[in-house]
Amino acid sequence: MSKPTRGLGKGLGALLGDTAGLEQLRRPVGYVHKEVVGTTDPQDTADVLRIPVDMIEPNPYQPRLSFDQEALQELAASIRTLGLIQPITVRKKSADRYQIISGERRFRACRLAGMDMIPAYIRDASDQGMLEMAIVENIQRENLDPIEVALSYQRLIEECNLTQEQMADRVGKKRASVTNYLRLLKLPAKVQHDLKVGLLSVGHAKVLLGVDDASAQEKLCDIVVKNGLSVRQLEAKVKELLSSGQKEPSPAAPLPDEYGKVLERIGKFFDKEISLKRTSSGKGTMTIRFDSDEEMKRFLKALEDSNI
């Protein structure tokens, strides 16, 4: 769910300065160091391999029936510039055919971008235990960048049907640490790219997550990359930016664990985020945004199957 944009005033450019000349610092995430599918045996389902685009087919059970063409064009333009940051997930159907499990929108955008090879995770859809072990093993590697760690956490939750709490137990991390990594995936593609290739630190990313406006996040990211700002210097920039539009809000009190579990369970049935706001007295609101009647039907079926 997109958050409401916060008033940032008219002096964004003046506050943040010039960010021209950054393109020579950025290079697309191309996964050129990864093997092409079929050249390694066996294939590690936790690693990324490159698959020729003509060997991939959509999933006939894909619940999303329509794709916003304008949004696809925008994603394709981003992929041309930055590469595909989040690989798709497929399963092997035959020696030369793979079927999409998740990531059809990214797959379509890659085709629009003219890619002939697409980075993908390959999983055996019938063996969840092996997949879980492979992903956990992958997370324990020391050379993973923060986005790879976040994507691995996301895969454990989505593909192995785990809650954040269960997943934290699997990888031996505190739930708060897992949540902080997953939040990185909410950042714009440009910011994720710079974090992935080491132009930005996790500390910088956490500060950027405190800004609700995506364009401001990208602009601030540009400033960090160009001027080599420290985390403290970035915090000062953010404070200056927020004070130019409105007073910086006081931080919200963390939600009790039960609320997080509610968000996790209900969120599985909807493509968009759901939000929950709670006052100190326990009163609050929960907002669910959905894209189609099919999402609501799936949610209703789940309620009926559970006799709720």
Side-chain angles (χ1 to χ4, degrees), residues 108-254:
R108 293 185 181 215
C110 285
R111 289 196 303 184
L112 285 175
M115 293 177 63
D116 56 359
M117 291 278 185
I118 296 181
Y121 296 108
I122 301 175
R123 64 162 291 186
D124 182 350
S126 63
D127 195 345
Q128 179 174 310
M130 289 296 292
L131 172 68
E132 184 177 329
M133 286 188 290
I135 296 175
V136 171
E137 182 182 2
N138 195 47
I139 292 172
Q140 292 171 344
R141 296 174 184 173
E142 295 182 356
N143 61 344
L144 294 183
D145 63 66
I147 295 299
E148 286 177 318
V149 173
L151 288 171
S152 295
Y153 287 169
Q154 185 182 58
R155 290 188 71 207
L156 272 175
I157 289 172
E158 293 181 352
E159 297 180 37
C160 299
N161 297 314
L162 301 178
T163 65
Q164 285 191 21
E165 189 171 355
Q166 290 171 329
M167 197 264 292
D169 289 338
R170 294 289 200 284
V171 298
K173 301 290 184 181
K174 292 183 178 179
R175 181 178 173 181
S177 174
V178 168
T179 300
N180 285 334
Y181 269 102
L182 290 171
R183 290 178 66 217
L184 299 177
L185 301 179
K186 299 179 184 295
L187 291 166
K190 180 195 289 188
V191 182
Q192 288 191 39
H193 168 275
D194 289 355
L195 185 58
K196 184 174 182 64
V197 299
L199 295 175
L200 206 68
S201 73
V202 173
H204 289 110
K206 289 180 179 178
V207 176
L208 294 179
L209 283 165
V211 179
D212 290 338
D213 185 272
S215 63
Q217 289 175 331
E218 292 182 347
K219 187 76 171 177
L220 286 162
C221 175
D222 287 346
I223 291 296
V224 172
V225 173
K226 184 173 183 180
N227 299 329
L229 298 187
S230 67
V231 174
R232 286 187 177 273
Q233 289 172 323
L234 176 59
E235 288 174 342
K237 278 285 186 184
V238 169
K239 187 173 182 179
E240 181 183 5
L241 181 63
L242 294 177
S243 63
S244 70
Q246 64 180 44
K247 291 184 179 179
E248 189 172 2
S250 57

Side-chain angles (χ1 to χ4, degrees), residues 249-306:
S250 57
L255 292 173
D257 285 348
E258 307 84 61
Y259 288 75
K261 292 177 181 178
V262 169
L263 291 175
E264 286 177 22
R265 293 190 179 185
I266 296 180
K268 290 181 179 180
F269 300 98
F270 298 95
D271 291 335
K272 292 186 177 296
E273 257 186 60
I274 63 175
S275 66
L276 195 153
K277 295 183 179 179
R278 170 187 174 274
T279 65
S280 57
S281 65
K283 296 181 179 180
T285 59
M286 183 167 65
T287 303
I288 299 176
R289 297 183 182 274
F290 53 92
D291 286 329
S292 67
D293 293 338
E294 292 303 316
E295 284 185 89
M296 219 16 116
K297 290 177 182 177
R298 289 200 305 270
F299 185 47
L300 175 61
K301 185 177 185 303
L303 293 175
E304 292 174 341
D305 291 346
S306 302

